[in-house]
Amino acid sequence: MKVTLAMKPAAKSFIPIEAESIVPKNFLAGTDLLVWRGNRELRLDEVFSVSVEGDADHLEDVEVVLSGDTFRLKRVGEYMDGGKITVLGGIGMHCGNFMSGGTIEVHGNADGWLGREMAGGTILCRGDAADYCASGYRGGRKGMTGGTVEVFGRAGDFLAESIAGGTVTVHGDAGDMAGRRCTAVRSLFTGTAAARVRT
Amino acid sequence: MNELLIKNACVIDPLRGINAETMDIAIRDGRIVEEVSGAAEVIDAHGMLTLPGGVDSHTHICGTKVNFGRYMSPEDMRAGRTPRRGPLHATSGYSVPTTYGNSYRYSVMGYTTLLEGAMAPLEARHTHEEFLYTPLQDTMANVLFDGNWGIMEAIRDGDTKRVAAIIAWTLRAVKGFAIKLTNPGGTEAWQWGKNVSCIRDPVPYFEVTPAEIIRSMVEANELLHLPHSVHLHCNNLGTPGNYTCTLGSLGLIPDLNKKRQTLYATHVQFHAYGGSDWRDISSKSEPIANFVSMRPQIVMDMGQVMFGRTTTMTADGPMEFNLYRLHHEKWSNHDVELETGSGIIPVIYRRKNLVNSIMWAIGLELALLTKSPWQCLLTTDNPNGAPFVRYPEIIGLLMSKKYRDAEFATLHPDTASRVPLPAIERELDWYEIAVMTRAGQAKALGIQEFGKGHLGPGADADVAIYPLRIDEVDPSTDYHKVVDAFSQTEYTIKRGRVVARRGECLVDGSNATFWVSPKVSEAYDMGKDPDFIEKFDRYYTVRMRNYPVQDEYLNRNRCIETETEL
């Protein structure tokens, strides 16, 4: 099953949209989902043109494709445990928080906190990732515990902060404080061109 | 006229000697009265356990230190989130929740009066502002005097009356309730890169010892006839072998007051360690409990540790710095000009850790080995030993040997050889728990005559009705029922109004702040003392006229005026 969510140009707003409901699992039961913009709850089809091709019985067969101006769309793929999300453009903050399985592929740039505290699964970011990529929460002792994050562009500051497991590979430069407070690290950094935190 | 009648309540009211009598409680306009008219609203308590509203005589819930704990721990704010609902505000946080979080959770547990354990005088406004947003409890604040320059100079000069005069001026200026000494002299010494190891070490420059500070403050406290006694956090907190220092400090105290204790020693669990280092640390709860049992002039509170994460915060700056050197985690220390200091460190107490296991046992031992429950009150030094939401579990542990044994079996295996807890058979009864959680605390704070901690006519109508029939529950085996009941009242009544019911708060209340204004003669008014004014203007960063807290900082102003000997 392929679910395509094309952001409606009219839905673009200064206030970001919080879309923690956009995880493949939820689409097994249909597309009747809600997202928040500020303190207002909106139906998915108020924000996106929704189209569904085929159907699926298993989580692994679900692919969600996001297109349009999605750089202010937050928390996509939070607590995701399987399936695939493909973002054709950029993605907003907190994409793939607490993710434990499946794949997120971002073709554009990712805003801050990509894959925060993830426990499993794969995140591929073809563009740049902003600060706190694959990190823990502010003040927390334990960040990412498993899974893989691969960034093909640059990563911002605090990459893989307090990482306690999993693999983070950055092909471009990493910002300041990469791997700060990390526990369980075998190698960190292989030059400015590739920052690598591997456990 | 607002009337309420609570019928068929099974009342335990230790300050009036009432032990589990079925009776009715009549309330009019926020006070308990003999009887009400037929038009009164009726609550049928169905024989449920009914106690005066809970009093916490040592907790850290409001002020700069608590707020810095919030700043430091964004991760703590991820727990305990509740949305805004009706008259209720949103809350979040676990060990250092928002003020509303504190207030609602205390209320659900039946607590109606709280004493903030340590308020730096210079930063009093912050405490009072947070009191305003702690709506469901009446509040009061201990004022820190452990490193007050003016007082230490007066002590060095042997002028106890001047000590009392400075206390009187400061209490009135900052709208404080009582004297708090936190590691007396230690935080001042720390500003010289030192600490005081016990009561005989002189404080640098001032050349007074903690023993002299404690003695003078106790005498000054009685000169001022303050409702509460000196509230002491002994020197040398959290160090193996510190129990000798604690005994030495308690031994300094004469019996000066007929109505209440002369010294309130707080979180004594942290001061009852034997051994010489962290490898051979052991419990010395027995000598301390025996010592206190023989001296009616001393009341202590437990400072119980419960396993899990929490935040330690105290005005004892050097202690927190030592803790930082132990943990190497995030840490804060702060200096308050001429007065005191503070430090904050988040910690996790683990049952697999031998030291933490011993600490857990010591708190319980103090409560079980002290003969009179009036002399050992139930606290965790919230949030230092554990957040106050763990109180019901502590009540369960004190009431059930079986529960203690079950918990003990999960601790570090070496604990049994270091602590006497497994040999203690005592199980506290309902009456003793009522003493330790409200009556004893109200008496120790000296607020029973202001209508707290009892249900006699004229008292504030603060009542907690717990969903529990004490004739049907055997606490030694059904301890889970006890824990559940004390976690959530059936009704919490504050100032004659039902404020919480079955875990839900119902109203947005308005707190009252108790503070003390000692009346002193012209000669002892420090506001007119040239030497005091000169020192103030020279060393403080604020002008003296800007220092006092204005009345606007108090919701309901309960000023206690005392006649003094000055």
Side-chain angles (χ1 to χ4, degrees):
Chain A
M1 183 172 75
K2 186 171 174 184
V3 181
T4 306
L5 302 174
M7 191 103 171
K8 291 179 177 172
K12 192 178 170 188
S13 128
F14 175 72
I15 300 171
I17 291 171
E18 302 218 8
E20 71 272 29
S21 59
I22 301 181
V23 284
K25 184 170 63 180
N26 289 348
F27 289 97
L28 285 172
T31 58
D32 199 12
L33 301 173
L34 297 166
V35 296
W36 288 90
R37 181 164 68 204
N39 57 4
R40 280 189 57 212
E41 210 163 15
L42 304 172
R43 289 195 319 277
L44 203 59
D45 60 10
E46 289 179 85
V47 182
F48 300 97
S49 304
V50 183
S51 65
V52 181
E53 292 167 39
D55 62 320
D57 295 327
H58 299 290
L59 190 50
E60 288 68 36
D61 302 331
V62 180
E63 182 183 2
V64 181
V65 179
L66 286 159
S67 65
D69 189 0
T70 50
F71 197 67
R72 298 184 74 77
L73 190 64
K74 290 180 175 179
R75 297 170 69 187
V76 169
E78 186 170 277
Y79 291 106
M80 172 169 169
D81 54 358
K84 182 164 190 202
I85 296 178
T86 305
V87 183
L88 301 179
I91 194 69
M93 286 194 270
H94 296 286
C95 176
N97 279 356
F98 305 109
M99 170 174 179
S100 59
T103 305
I104 296 177
E105 184 168 5
V106 181
H107 288 277
N109 297 334
D111 206 348
W113 307 98
L114 176 68
R116 161 164 71 79
E117 291 171 276
M118 76 186 273
T122 306
I123 294 180
L124 299 169
C125 177
R126 303 283 173 195
D128 299 339
D131 297 343
Y132 292 101
C133 174
S135 74
Y137 189 71
R138 286 235 167 87
R141 290 159 192 251
K142 207 176 202 180
M144 180 170 169
T145 54
T148 307
V149 175
E150 188 162 6
V151 178
F152 291 88
R154 295 188 302 272
D157 298 342
F158 301 103
L159 170 72
E161 187 189 39
S162 52
I163 186 170
T167 307
V168 177
T169 309
V170 177
H171 295 276
D173 296 345
D176 294 341
M177 305 276 199
R180 193 179 82 97
R181 291 166 58 99
C182 55
T183 53
V185 166
R186 269 190 247 129
S187 74
L188 169 71
F189 265 95
T190 51
T192 53
R196 175 165 297 195
V197 180
R198 183 176 292 259
T199 63
Chain B
M1 197 165 67
N2 246 325
E3 292 187 325
L4 182 67
L5 182 65
I6 304 167
K7 293 183 96 156
N8 304 316
C10 172
V11 175
I12 299 180
D13 185 356
L15 280 169
R16 291 196 300 152
I18 295 172
N19 189 1
E21 284 175 31
T22 302
M23 54 198 286
D24 297 348
I25 300 169
I27 295 168
R28 182 183 304 122
D29 293 333
R31 293 199 173 270
I32 292 176
V33 291
E34 294 286 0
E35 55 182 15
V36 285
S37 69
E41 191 189 329
V42 175
I43 287 176
D44 193 338
H46 295 291
M48 288 188 281
L49 176 65
T50 302
L51 304 176
V55 180
D56 197 337
S57 58
H58 190 99
T59 177
H60 300 279
I61 44 154
C62 291
T64 43
K65 184 163 76 310
V66 181
N67 211 38
F68 207 83
R70 296 182 186 118
Y71 281 141
M72 276 174 70
S73 300
E75 77 280 12
D76 191 71
M77 286 294 162
R78 304 170 88 181
R81 289 187 182 174
T82 59
R84 193 180 76 174
R85 209 170 43 224
L88 304 185
H89 296 255
T91 73
S92 68
Y94 172 63
S95 67
V96 276
T98 56
T99 56
Y100 290 111
N102 276 325
S103 192
Y104 298 157
R105 289 172 209 171
Y106 260 122
S107 189
V108 161
M109 285 164 45
Y111 277 76
T112 53
T113 307
L114 306 174
L115 175 111
E116 162 57 45
M119 171 171 83
L122 184 62
E123 294 168 353
R125 278 185 181 78
H126 193 139
T127 307
H128 286 293
E129 280 173 332
E130 291 197 11
F131 280 170
L132 292 178
Y133 302 104
T134 306
L136 301 179
Q137 284 82 25
D138 290 340
T139 49
M140 57 202 87
N142 276 344
V143 181
L144 290 160
F145 285 105
D146 47 79
N148 189 298
W149 291 9
I151 286 178
M152 285 194 291
E153 281 175 352
I155 293 170
R156 183 184 58 200
D157 300 341
D159 189 349
T160 306
K161 288 198 161 179
R162 188 175 171 85
V163 173
I166 296 175
I167 294 168
W169 183 85
T170 311
L171 283 179
R172 197 166 52 232
V174 304
K175 307 268 188 287
F177 178 74
I179 298 170
K180 172 73 183 291
L181 297 177
T182 295
N183 183 10
T187 305
E188 177 59 28
W190 193 53
Q191 299 181 18
W192 303 75
K194 297 172 182 165
N195 195 355
V196 288
S197 67
C198 194
I199 55 174
R200 303 294 174 196
D201 285 3
V203 180
Y205 175 75
F206 294 97
E207 295 303 320
V208 294
T209 63
E212 289 165 335
I213 296 175
I214 295 168
R215 277 298 291 261
S216 313
M217 295 301 266
V218 164
E219 285 163 22
N221 193 88
E222 301 310 321
L223 285 179
L224 295 172
H225 296 269
L226 300 182
H228 187 37
S229 67
V230 168
H231 200 106
L232 176 68
H233 154 145
C234 294
N235 300 105
N236 215 2
L237 179 145
T239 314
N242 64 5
Y243 82 106
T244 52
C245 180
T246 309
L247 291 175
S249 308
L250 300 183
L252 296 169
I253 309 302
D255 191 357
L256 298 177
N257 195 301
K258 292 277 170 289
K259 283 200 293 194
R260 54 149 169 80
Q261 78 285 358
T262 307
L263 184 83
Y264 182 105
T266 189
H267 44 68
V268 176
Q269 175 275 127
F270 292 107
H271 303 274
Y273 304 155
S276 55
D277 61 27
W278 294 110
R279 282 186 297 272
D280 64 359
I281 184 174
S282 64
S283 165
K284 287 291 177 187
S285 54
E286 278 177 306
I288 297 215
N290 291 341
F291 194 89
V292 170
S293 291
M294 287 187 292
R295 283 170 180 75
Q297 65 266 42
I298 293 167
V299 167
M300 60 180 170
D301 73 54
M302 293 162 71
Q304 174 67 15
V305 157
M306 297 294 276
F307 302 111
R309 74 190 163 85
T310 191
T311 306
T312 66
M313 52 178 64
T314 167
D316 193 344
M319 191 285 294
E320 290 283 7
F321 180 63
N322 288 335
L323 203 57
Y324 161 71
R325 292 196 293 192
L326 217 59
H327 287 274
H328 287 289
E329 266 289 342
K330 58 185 168 186
W331 147 74
S332 143
N333 260 122
H334 177 58
D335 162 47
V336 187
E337 303 195 7
L338 287 60
E339 297 173 346
T340 177
S342 68
I344 302 154
I345 290 188
V347 297
I348 301 176
Y349 295 113
R350 300 173 201 275
R351 43 182 97 227
K352 295 296 170 205
N353 177 307
L354 178 59
V355 174
N356 294 166
S357 297
I358 293 169
M359 292 164 84
W360 174 85
I362 292 174
L364 297 173
E365 288 159 13
L366 287 169
L368 295 166
L369 293 171
T370 305
K371 290 195 185 75
S372 162
W374 297 92
Q375 283 189 276
C376 186
L377 308 173
L378 193 154
T379 70
T380 57
D381 186 18
N382 165 64
N384 285 298
F388 63 86
V389 290
R390 311 292 297 273
Y391 286 178
E393 290 167 64
I394 300 172
I395 293 172
L397 289 164
L398 293 175
M399 296 187 86
S400 169
K401 166 80 171 151
K402 195 177 158 199
Y403 187 14
R404 291 201 295 270
D405 287 345
E407 284 288 294
F408 200 87
T410 68
L411 304 187
H412 189 286
D414 293 351
T415 314
S417 62
R418 311 282 187 98
V419 304
L421 187 68
I424 302 173
E425 297 291 332
R426 185 175 176 193
E427 292 177 336
L428 300 187
D429 61 25
W430 302 106
Y431 189 85
E432 288 167 322
I433 293 297
V435 171
M436 291 177 69
T437 54
R438 46 265 294 160
Q441 312 225 6
K443 184 173 177 233
L445 294 177
I447 52 172
Q448 79 272 34
E449 56 193 281
F450 307 107
K452 295 294 179 191
H454 65 95
L455 298 172
D460 283 2
D462 299 348
V463 189
I465 305 174
Y466 293 97
L468 185 80
R469 290 187 58 110
I470 61 173
D471 48 351
E472 287 172 2
V473 173
D474 176 8
S476 61
T477 52
D478 299 337
Y479 50 85
H480 288 299
K481 286 184 186 163
V482 175
V483 174
D484 291 347
F486 278 103
S487 301
Q488 265 186 27
T489 58
E490 186 71 17
Y491 295 92
T492 303
I493 294 165
K494 173 90 196 105
R495 214 180 287 128
R497 212 161 47 136
V498 177
V499 293
R501 175 122 212 251
R502 293 183 184 159
E504 292 286 325
C505 291
L506 305 173
V507 299
D508 188 21
S510 136
N511 85 315
T513 298
F514 285 75
W515 62 285
V516 177
S517 174
K519 282 199 247 174
V520 297
S521 65
E522 191 86 350
Y524 286 98
D525 182 356
M526 284 293 130
K528 299 193 175 90
D529 184 272
D531 184 45
F532 188 76
I533 294 170
E534 196 230 308
K535 287 249 165 62
F536 200 107
D537 286 342
R538 185 157 167 204
Y539 294 116
Y540 268 104
T541 57
V542 295
R543 296 283 115 196
M544 197 163 164
R545 66 175 179 280
N546 294 330
Y547 187 84
V549 175
Q550 300 92 324
D551 284 350
E552 298 86 88
Y553 282 83
L554 286 80
N555 255 343
R556 289 163 185 261
N557 191 337
R558 295 279 298 265
C559 174
I560 301 166
E561 290 210 319
T562 65
E563 301 295 334
T564 69
E565 292 167 30
L566 296 186

